[in-house]
Amino acid sequence: MKQPTKKSPTSERTNRGSRTSFPHKTLHLAMGLCMMGLFACAGNSDKAPAPAAGSTPAAGAEIPKDTSIKLPSGFSASIVAEGLGKARHIVIAPNGVVFVKLERLKDGKGIYRLQDTNGDGKPDQVTGFGKFGGTGIAIKKGYLYASSNEDVYRFKLDDNFNVTNPDNPEKIVTGLIDRHQHESKSIALDNDGNLYVNIGAYSNSCQLQDRTKGSPGRQPCPILDSAGGIWQFKADQPGQTYGTGVRYATGLRNVVGLDWNTATNTLFVMQHGRDQLHDLFPDLYDTKQSAELPAECMYELHKGSNCGWPYIYYDEFQHKKILAPEYGGDSKKTGAEDAQDPVVAFPGHLAPNGLLFYTGNQFPEKYKNGAFVAFHGSWNRAPEPQKGYFVAFVPFSNGKPSGEWEVFADNFSGGPDKTASGRATYRPCGLAQGPDGSIYVTDDSKGNVWKISYKK
Amino acid sequence: MNRLFVMASTALLAFLLMSQTQKPAAKGGALAASIARGKVVYESTCQPCHMADGGGAPNMNPPLSRTKWVLGDKVKLAQIVLKGLPGGQIEIDGDTFHNPMPAQESVLSDQQIADVLTFVRNNFGNKASAVTVAEVKASRGRMK
């Protein structure tokens, strides 16, 4: 593993020092969690080499590799935390402190802060806070932003990336729609003081009766007024609502993975494409087509972008925007010609939950500015085998994909049988880049956090 | 006398055994037929969301294994199939499931619903009584 570089690629997010403090409360909690075996803690695990008494291990010291994760040559993965439950998105502070957002509270806490204070590569100081479940988390200009399924909060960070107001965050955005389906509010921030929030459509294809055979598509789709897109808010104004926000992009069924691309200065998102083409239209689609279609699409957004949902879906074989069958489509007719084309089209139903543009210097040159995508894995491909549960990579050059996508990190499922059945052991969800250029992957099935590093 | 008694008791025993085994066999036949029909309905209508192993999809579609929703009140169970449910209504061990259950009242017949529920209640690790057409009809009648 490389030494953490001071000139961190994420330092655009904040520029702060990294003195370390040991609040007693957090230390107690950390020790408690260690004893409960919730985290693989240094000194408490036979897997982790305990540092010799009185010595300080070098930063970036080796921690055990998790060889079950398949990676390209030169890369290795290690588990830095486990047992966090539904660990969704993740962000790493410039000093290496890890924040993980949980969908379901764990011991009453929705966010966990993990810090490796002794430099052995494993977090030994673990604190939980935030009494809301959710998905989104981000750091910007001295604040930690995190979302529930209705609101976006922010917490103040001190110079060591400790949260100074764990019980009293500011509520930046409130009252967003949560109708259970596609409810997670993923967030991203640009460098001009804006916050972007995904508001997923609470529907599969905007039918009168959702997911019901024979029910027509609603024309126009009323869901798009308050969901099915990305909304833009001010990053520093508390109490914003739909009234003060801007519908930045529309026609997006549900976005979980999104990232601000600093090379292009634009927002990129991964859409979860529609389900059930065969179940709802067995005369138009066989089960194999239904498993592959539509594509899971990456879009580059601008203010006013329209990606076409629910009227069209993207067919990655015909390379066309196909009119949705609920709106008169027959699997061939095209539609919504004014809607944007995707930047990348992945196979259907893989569920892209995390997106990260790599700006680090640790990985080989081909990864620079490219996109990592965490695929949570499918459920809607039956009776065909399920697919996904991997992290993919797409090389980029000059802001555009410069090659085919490839599987980067695989076997989170635990084997081909578990992939095929959909009974994956782990399911990749969130992605983040650390200050040393390693990347982190969360799993929202058991709550693992992996760190993936490269060494020549 | 002795021989007669033995023969008679053997015959009686044989009769008893036959009637014992025949009755469940006949009943089992009807059950097996309903389960077999239900399997076909399951594969075309339910499997896309609840999956081939009945395990559902985490956070989205609830599992059908060993849950009170499946093994409990049959009329209530039939109502869920007939009328559907909005997302987020099912909770199992603290987990909620966000996809809606689409209403099947105009898609499936009473017989198909009885069969598929009988299949589900006798698969995926479940072992529970059959759901009859009369119970589905009662469920429809109760809804209005």
Side-chain angles (χ1 to χ4, degrees), chain A residues 2 8 67 78 122 138 168 175 245 304 352 360 452:
Chain A
K2 281 195 175 178
S8 133
T67 53
S78 55
K122 283 261 187 190
N168 306 295
I452 298 177

Side-chain angles (χ1 to χ4, degrees), chain A residues 5 17-18 70 127 158 213 241 345 351 390:
Chain A
T5 47
S18 58
K70 303 296 173 215
T127 38
D158 69 13
K213 212 171 179 172
T241 60
F390 55 66

Side-chain angles (χ1 to χ4, degrees), chain B residues 42 50-55 64-66 119-127:
Chain B
Y42 184 83
H50 292 289
M51 317 273 296
D53 63 0
L64 303 173
S65 303
R66 301 182 203 95
F119 168 77
V120 167
R121 283 164 61 91
N122 287 282
N123 260 283
F124 317 132
N126 299 326
K127 191 82 199 134

Side-chain angles (χ1 to χ4, degrees), chain A residues 119 138 153 172 201 218 246 255 265 276 285 332 340 359 364 446:
Chain A
Y153 299 82
I172 298 294
R218 301 166 79 184
V246 172
V255 166
N265 216 25
Q276 296 178 285
Y285 302 87
K332 292 180 186 69
Q340 251 179 252
T359 58
K446 308 265 187 307

Side-chain angles (χ1 to χ4, degrees), chain A residues 83-154:
Chain A
L84 281 170
K86 297 191 174 180
R88 299 284 284 179
H89 284 175
I90 178 169
V91 65
I92 322 295
N95 67 343
V97 165
V98 176
F99 291 96
V100 184
K101 186 76 199 79
L102 310 190
E103 185 164 274
R104 184 175 161 184
L105 300 187
K106 178 172 179 56
D107 303 326
K109 316 293 183 193
I111 304 171
Y112 276 84
R113 179 186 185 278
L114 317 172
Q115 186 166 10
D116 170 20
T117 59
N118 62 9
D120 70 349
K122 283 261 187 190
D124 47 84
Q125 192 183 84
V126 179
T127 38
F129 59 98
K131 295 182 180 69
F132 54 93
T135 291
I137 196 155
I139 292 176
K140 184 64 79 176
K141 291 181 182 159
Y143 288 93
L144 177 74
Y145 292 78
S147 65
S148 69
N149 293 335
E150 292 176 357
D151 309 307
V152 183
Y153 299 82
R154 75 171 182 179

Side-chain angles (χ1 to χ4, degrees), chain B residues 4 6 9-10 17-18 20 22 29 32 35 41-42 51 55 61 63 67 90-91 94 97 104 110 118 121 129 139:
Chain B
L4 252 177
V6 170
S9 51
T10 309
L17 269 174
M18 271 175 71
Q20 281 276 319
Q22 234 169 20
I35 289 173
V41 178
Y42 184 83
M51 317 273 296
N61 312 316
T67 133
I90 302 270
E91 191 195 309
F97 300 89
Q104 304 298 325
D110 290 352
T118 301
R121 283 164 61 91
S129 60
S139 194

